[in-house]
Amino acid sequence: MEKIAIQVLFCYFFVVLLLLSGTAISQEVDDEIEFNYEEGGENGPSKWGELHSKWSACKNGRMQSPIDLLNERVQVVSHLGRLKRSYKPSNATLKNRGHDMMLQWEGGAGTLRINGIEYVLQQCHWHSPSEHTINGQRFALEAHMVHVSQDGKIAVVGIMYKIGRSDSFLESISDHLTQVAGSNERETVVGVIDPRGIKIGSRKYYRYIGSLTIPPCTENVLWTIVRKVRTVTREQVRSLRVAVHDESDTNARPQQPINLRIVKSYRPDDENQNP
Ligand SMILES: *[C@@H]1O[C@H](CO)[C@@H](O)[C@H](O)[C@H]1NC(C)=O
């Protein structure tokens, strides 16, 4: 009898613990809504580091993102290797995070392998205009595919888009975007989405060490920016903005100091023999 009582008590404490950690998690999510992109505003990019003690890297970090990828400063190398992507179709949810739209795969959607480390694809979100620039040039849209390794290392793949032909992946989720835009729901289940539909179209890329471009601005993020600039229609860029309902027409963080960081550019050796 006594043993059961102890077990019940133990279960009770466990449930309380779970509830407490649950509120802690939702607290963090609420906090994310506090920041915005108003230049010079109270919650704007230059103030992010002061809004929350956990966000201090946004202000004090020495390896922040985004940056300009200036070709003159870039080291061209061939040893980084091709991007080893093994993605798989997985169930996803489209979420309005208050400052952007995020497509999140439950339990991950396959892996990206860099330097022998496997990073699991967790989510993809979009910034307009682009956050990174190439030789000072900004583009209409930038997609960020966020990957996390088992021990918590982050690798992000950035893809740039200029205005032109329609992007087939955004086309494939456009009904869901419209659905979120037309309602006050913060998320919608979209079913199985194949991340291989997010086209890269080039083996060349830039590589540098930076940070998340939104709070908490976590550093040591391994960045891969695909060199090929893809295309998207004006309507597609707009549909991503409208869905957010934040009355802002931009969600690009201003550029951050490079601070002697090295940007590498990968170009395969066999480019001409084996296209
Ligand atoms: C997606 O979710 C549905 C419903 O829960 C499930 O039946 C299906 O097997 C899932 N598909 C994948 C690829 O995980």
Side-chain angles (χ1 to χ4, degrees), residues 89-91 191-192:
S90 306
N91 275 314
V192 175

Side-chain angles (χ1 to χ4, degrees), residues 53-223:
S53 58
K54 288 185 192 136
W55 295 358
S56 61
C58 302
K59 188 182 179 190
N60 303 325
R62 303 282 298 152
M63 40 195 333
Q64 290 288 295
S65 294
I67 58 168
D68 178 45
L69 303 158
L70 185 63
N71 276 337
E72 286 156 34
R73 200 164 41 213
V74 162
Q75 287 180 7
V76 177
V77 297
S78 62
H79 64 77
L80 288 173
R82 290 184 200 172
L83 286 183
K84 297 184 188 75
R85 308 202 298 165
S86 355
Y87 295 154
K88 57 172 199 237
S90 306
N91 275 314
T93 306
L94 189 63
K95 294 188 177 172
N96 176 356
R97 289 199 287 181
H99 52 89
D100 69 7
M101 294 304 300
M102 171 176 73
L103 190 63
Q104 187 168 45
W105 283 278
E106 334 291 352
T111 60
L112 170 69
R113 205 179 170 81
I114 301 172
N115 297 332
I117 297 172
E118 274 202 341
Y119 299 85
V120 176
L121 175 62
Q122 313 255 325
Q123 48 107 331
C124 171
H125 62 266
W126 294 267
H127 295 271
S128 58
S130 72
E131 297 199 298
H132 289 91
T133 52
I134 299 178
N135 296 321
Q137 193 185 353
R138 202 177 280 283
F139 300 93
L141 184 72
E142 183 171 338
H144 287 165
M145 301 179 78
V146 180
H147 309 70
V148 182
S149 71
Q150 206 159 29
D151 59 351
K153 292 192 184 77
I154 303 169
V156 184
V157 174
I159 308 164
M160 313 284 216
Y161 302 82
K162 60 185 177 191
I163 299 296
R165 290 166 137 219
S166 166
D167 175 65
S168 57
F169 183 78
L170 285 173
E171 224 166 77
S172 73
I173 60 163
S174 73
D175 287 350
H176 300 290
L177 281 172
T178 314
Q179 194 183 325
V180 173
S183 74
N184 285 322
E185 280 167 45
R186 297 201 70 84
E187 57 181 76
T188 173
V189 172
V190 295
V192 175
I193 297 279
D194 189 347
R196 288 171 294 194
I198 304 175
K199 293 289 184 341
I200 284 184
S202 164
R203 286 185 287 171
K204 297 181 189 170
Y205 59 80
Y206 296 101
R207 167 69 47 77
Y208 81 99
I209 310 288
S211 74
L212 296 181
T213 63
I214 61 169
C217 307
T218 313
E219 298 200 308
N220 280 309
V221 169
L222 189 61
W223 274 97

